[in-house]
Amino acid sequence: MYRPEIDGLRALAVLAVIVCHFDPDLLPNGHLGVDIFFVISGFVITQSLVSRNHETLKSFLSQFYARRAKRLLPALVFCVAVTFLIFLLLVNPESSQASSYKRTAIAALFGVSTMYLLGQAMDYFGSSALLNPFTHTWSLGVEEQFYLLCPLLIWFSGYAQNKVGGERRFAWLITVTGVLSFLLYIWLSRTGPVHAFYLMPARFWELAVGAAAYVIYLRLQGVDAPSLSRSGSSASFMLVLLIATLFLSSAFHELALVAVVLFTAILIVVIKQGSLAYKLLTASPVVFIGVISYSLYLWHWSVITLSRWTVGISSS
């Protein structure tokens, strides 16, 4: 079932990322828009996987990956190819920089740019990452690696086949793996921050929260919901908190990250038609931005890095 408010959340996420990448001082935690995307992906992917009937694991996986490839690959290949060709005009093709960009681009096409960037020990907020036109593809790599694990959890729990107890088993699986992932993230944040940033196992908990939100959302459809005014107030409050968190100082990054993940998940679950939050997120311009958010995310970094290499960028 299509939910336009989720596209509205995508719009918020991509605009936050773009503003932050343009000038971090304008929106210190705007890069957490990527984490909003992670929660949304966990929710939407789970919904997509359990809403179709499949008799075999082969058809279940093959059709899912075909849908994902059709949705993601054409825009990614086009953006990577055009961006790389443009940068060959700016960078010596024989230089180490050109070689690094080429390898990042190739890794991005296979969903493993996270591993390449990690191998280069490239700090996402460092100068070398800011000049690499494909640094932002790390988040696509995290999601694509999540696609390898989530369908298996859904299938082997029996949730995909509507087996008795399948939903409960999946809820337990996604909760346990999510908690373990969160603990890994906390540990790596202190022992290896670059690993905590790039590794899918350390980011899995964010997508797991989105997957768990879908299970909770379905459960709430079968019980008496709170009044529209109460639910609408909760959704609006969550939206305000979510936006406010993006303005927090980057010194509160870890706290802001957890808050953004939880606020996004709660908002997706409690929002109702007719509420102020719903009206704001489903406004036509907002939904339109959400619909094209994937392309905006792909191209914004190419434009910004091209500007850094040529005319520079400034908000003043």
Side-chain angles (χ1 to χ4, degrees):
M1 180 181 67
Y2 175 64
R3 294 180 58 185
E5 70 273 23
I6 290 182
D7 272 329
L9 274 176
R10 288 191 176 105
L12 171 63
V14 76
L15 290 176
V17 171
I18 292 173
V19 170
C20 181
H21 284 166
F22 178 72
D23 186 347
D25 292 334
L26 296 176
L27 200 61
N29 274 307
H31 59 277
L32 295 180
V34 170
D35 304 278
I36 296 175
F37 276 123
F38 284 162
V39 178
I40 292 173
S41 291
F43 184 95
V44 171
I45 292 304
T46 303
Q47 179 185 41
S48 173
L49 287 167
V50 302
S51 62
R52 293 175 170 85
N53 295 320
H54 294 276
E55 294 183 357
T56 66
L57 176 60
K58 180 180 178 181
S59 67
F60 177 69
L61 295 178
S62 62
Q63 292 184 33
F64 169 69
Y65 293 130
R67 293 194 302 272
R68 289 289 88 196
K70 183 178 180 181
R71 163 89 169 85
L72 302 176
L73 277 182
L76 176 62
V77 171
F78 182 68
C79 178
V80 167
V82 171
T83 300
F84 186 70
L85 289 175
I86 292 174
F87 270 83
L88 284 181
L89 301 176
L90 303 174
V91 182
N92 181 356
E94 304 300 323
S95 68
S96 60
Q97 284 179 317
S99 177
S100 175
Y101 298 167
K102 179 176 70 174
R103 292 178 181 179
T104 310
I106 294 172
L109 296 177
F110 291 93
V112 291
S113 58
T114 52
M115 305 309 296
Y116 177 75
L117 293 169
L118 178 60
Q120 299 298 302
M122 189 173 290
D123 180 0
Y124 180 73
F125 302 98
S127 58
S128 59
L130 293 178
L131 292 174
N132 187 328
F134 307 110
T135 302
H136 67 313
T137 61
W138 74 271
S139 66
L140 306 181
V142 168
E143 292 203 23
E144 289 168 26
Q145 292 164 38
F146 174 76
Y147 299 159
L148 299 176
L149 181 57
C150 186
L152 297 178
L153 294 178
I154 290 176
W155 180 267
F156 288 110
S157 67
Y159 194 20
Q161 308 95 305
N162 254 343
K163 290 183 178 179
V164 176
E167 180 188 89
R168 178 174 52 82
R169 285 190 294 271
F170 173 71
W172 274 106
L173 280 172
I174 205 69
T175 299
V176 171
T177 52
V179 169
L180 291 175
S181 169
F182 180 71
L183 294 175
L184 176 64
Y185 172 80
I186 295 298
W187 179 64
L188 287 177
S189 294
R190 284 143 181 78
T191 61
V194 177
H195 289 73
F197 188 91
Y198 286 121
L199 284 178
M200 188 280 288
R203 292 285 190 168
F204 177 85
W205 66 275
E206 300 178 50
L207 295 114
V209 168
Y214 177 72
V215 176
I216 295 171
Y217 172 77
L218 280 188
R219 284 294 182 95
L220 291 180
Q221 304 311 298
V223 299
D224 291 334
S227 66
L228 179 61
S229 60
R230 181 178 175 184
S231 179
S233 298
S234 298
S236 298
F237 184 54
M238 285 299 112
L239 182 58
V240 169
L241 289 177
L242 178 59
I243 295 173
T245 303
L246 300 175
F247 285 91
L248 286 177
S249 166
S250 57
F252 301 100
H253 168 73
E254 286 189 9
L255 177 62
L257 169 59
V258 175
V260 160
V261 169
L262 293 179
F263 294 156
T264 302
I266 295 171
L267 179 57
I268 291 174
V269 170
V270 304
I271 194 168
K272 298 290 184 183
Q273 292 186 20
S275 65
L276 177 60
Y278 184 88
K279 291 177 181 177
L280 291 173
L281 292 174
T282 58
S284 296
V286 179
V287 172
F288 174 74
I289 293 173
V291 170
I292 64 171
S293 59
Y294 175 58
S295 293
L296 285 176
Y297 181 79
L298 285 176
W299 283 101
H300 89 280
W301 188 255
S302 298
V303 173
I304 288 175
T305 49
L306 176 63
S307 299
R308 288 194 178 107
W309 273 98
T310 53
V311 298
I313 58 174
S314 174
S315 60
S316 59

